[in-house]
Amino acid sequence: MNVKKFLPHIIAVAVFVVISSVFFSPVIFDGKKLKQSDIANWQGASKEIVDFRDKNNSEPLWTNSMFGGMPAYQISTFYKGNLIRFVDEAISLGLPSPLNYLFIYLLGFYFLLITLKVDQRLAVLGAIGFAFSSYFLIILEVGHNSKAGAIGYMAPVIAGIIMTYRGRLLLGGALTALFLALELNAGHPQITYYLLLTVVLLGIAELYNAVKEKKLNYFIKASLILIVGGMLAVGTNITSTMATAEYGKYSTRGPSELTSDKDNQTSGLDRDYITSWSYGKSETMTLMIPNYKGGASEAIGNFDKDALKDVDPNFKQNIASFSAYFGDQPFTQGPVYIGAILCLLFVLGLFIVKGPIKWWLLSATVLSIFLAWGKHFMGFTDFFLDYVPGYDKFRSVSMILVIAEFTIPLLAVLALNELINSYESSFSRKAKAHQQLQNNNAEGERKPIAQVSSKTVNYIMGAMLAISLLIAASPGIFTDKFYSDEEYNRAVEQTKGQKISKETLNTFFDGVETARKAIVASDAWRTFIFLLLASALIFAFNKYRFRKEFLIFGLLLLVGVDVISVGSRYIDKKDYVSKSAYNTPFPMSHADELIRQDPSSYRVLNLAANTFNDASTSYYHQSIGGYHGAKLKRYKELIDYRLTPEMGALQASLNKGDTAVRMALKSQSSLNMLNSKYIIYNPDAPPIVNNNVLGNAWFVNEYKIVPNADSEIAALNNFNPKTTAIIDQRFKSNLDAFKSFSDSTASITLLSYQPNDLVYESKSNAEGLAVFSEIYYDKGWNVYVDGQLSPYFRTNYVLRGMLVPSGNHKIEWKFEPSVYYTGEKISLASSILLLLMVAGVGFTKWKKNNINE
């Protein structure tokens, strides 16, 4: 084996390890952990699951700690059949989190550029530019680790596909299968979906090229190999894929049975929910000027104190507490910044790079930006929501800018590579022609481009410089306002009764505008300087034809300083905590301590937290609320139509004394049927004990059949869950033999609790209709009466009900989803086949290289 051949790549990998370690140095050198809010919420959401796994060495697959109960597939499930996880650990070199994700960003993009025959040093430049895109670091700061992993494997998947279409059928197919398996294993369907959109556009470009060059047969052959590889990759992850697909139909990603607000509904999420985080059209300028819309939703005084120097001293303190961000999103952790120099090179690439790869990257970039605009380009968004399968399953449309964050650096580096090939002065024309002929004959290489016009390059650089200079000199030239009507109106409401004149308020907002303009101007000047330095370097290289190494290392330094310095704004030393603090994200409150003294099974309503967007309660209790983007659809509708109004009434009663609270609790039928025994209103105070809860299960005297979901949820507004069950007519046949029930001595008692195994004892003198305070989900839950599988049905919109025979009986609910057990067998078999295929192709390639050497 020729070690020298691999030495540049070994050096590149070492550089990536060093860069990752230095950027996250407190993790390596101080033994600290990056405090990630979403990881803390995950720890809360998964606590019951993890504890069960550690104790029983098996998966519960269900948790009752969030939203009354839900499958664990999207929270924490360990899929033992998927052996690809070992490959993931090997590729990341065992680096600790979040270093491993930054390393995968770097390594994956480097591999793609090497596949495209780019100079290794330019590949390092491109990898750094890609990896330090601000959004990729922001998601690490907040803890979107699965998203980061999926982003990291986007580039290698594309590399495998390109390799397959450009002559390396078996190796490309094997690598595509492997990296797609790793992509799916990362567990973020939304990013994988965006990758699929990118792949579709790449396939169209390759098809066009194949038809043009009369290689359609090869294209079909390569596509079939990729399809087989893709099926194998899906097979390795089939358990999670099937479970997600099955659960998705019943989650907030699935269609609603309610007919109200139909115009806002899709077959997945509601339109306003999908588009709530839409990137503004002018906000797209942040790709080149990071703080074009003020930056993060952070107080101006904390973000940029220099922005306040020209503000009226009388208002400086108040303006300092105002948000720096003034874009179109509700709030943001920071902008999507790709890099000034990379944006310049991308635009150059539109004129320099030839062939289908340019059109693929351009179309993917445009698609990404248009869809990120969401509600600001609603006609285009509606088309995708209505006609493109799967698009309506995902929220936060601005996330699709990850495609632009991938395509812009890629075309930028390809443009730089073409510039060097076109301008390089080390060869004579004859030598160049010979070199280009060799390149044409090389496996998978594209045809060379014609000599690039230096005037074209200069004009483009001049235009980019002019735009940044205009914004720096006049920040409002492309922006109408520096504060929204909503901000102004909110200030008007807040100052009512304070005798503040409209003139004073306008003067205050003039100050806000001054501060925000200063923030924009500062970053625009920063962009201008980086563009000026990069343009000067390219211009000098073009004019004086010095060695390409000076251009490469010069731009490498500039790009690195540019993107890393912006990325560092969002991960600071203050974001790190000790391991002990990291491992216990939610210290136990006084209320938690008192509640946990109760050994029975119950639920907790935490009014002191953001109930339905917080997992701290789930860390210690079975919670009415929680934190998850794909809760059960019916439970979400129960929240909207019943729980939120009931909580509002309860909140209003808190200031009116104990009698008012007791009266409020008595009338809250949905909270009571959900066994909400404890209410936290102050973490430092004893909880309110709700004596009106109906317990874990109870017999009802009668039932009411309703025709549809609309009637079902409406019936919850005025009924007594202690005596009556609301049942959809679809389950009427289960009750044909039952009329009514009257036995004051009847009881159902919970004997033992595990999240996936609930054992009850029933006693009654007649057959009775029992309601269980457990969330209905028939894709896995089975009930056994004295060991015999028995039927059950949905009651009260979200709960389980069944007919219980007279006498004494053992009733056991078990969560036994066949999708998991079947999937694990397929996953193991697919993993073994895939790894054997990769090993076989790799060995064949290695053996062939040794023979040639």
Side-chain angles (χ1 to χ4, degrees), residues 12-22 93 95 99 103 106:
V13 171
V15 168
F16 296 153
V17 171
V18 171
I19 290 173
S20 303
S21 300
V22 171
L93 303 181
L95 292 170
L99 278 75
F103 177 74
L106 291 160

Side-chain angles (χ1 to χ4, degrees), residues 65-122:
S65 68
M66 288 208 307
F67 302 113
M70 62 183 292
Y73 310 136
Q74 300 299 311
I75 304 169
S76 176
T77 300
F78 188 61
Y79 300 104
K80 292 182 180 180
N82 189 352
L83 305 181
I84 297 302
R85 66 186 187 276
F86 297 115
V87 180
D88 182 48
E89 292 171 6
I91 290 176
S92 60
L93 303 181
L95 292 170
S97 179
L99 278 75
N100 54 337
Y101 297 108
L102 181 57
F103 177 74
I104 293 297
Y105 288 166
L106 291 160
L107 186 63
F109 205 75
Y110 175 84
F111 176 70
L112 171 58
L113 289 170
I114 292 299
T115 301
L116 290 168
K117 311 295 183 184
V118 170
D119 182 289
Q120 290 100 329
R121 293 157 297 187
L122 287 180

Side-chain angles (χ1 to χ4, degrees), residues 82 84-86 88 180-188 237 240:
N82 189 352
I84 297 302
R85 66 186 187 276
F86 297 115
D88 182 48
L180 182 57
L182 289 162
E183 165 74 27
L184 294 168
N185 181 63
H188 200 282
N237 295 272
S240 61

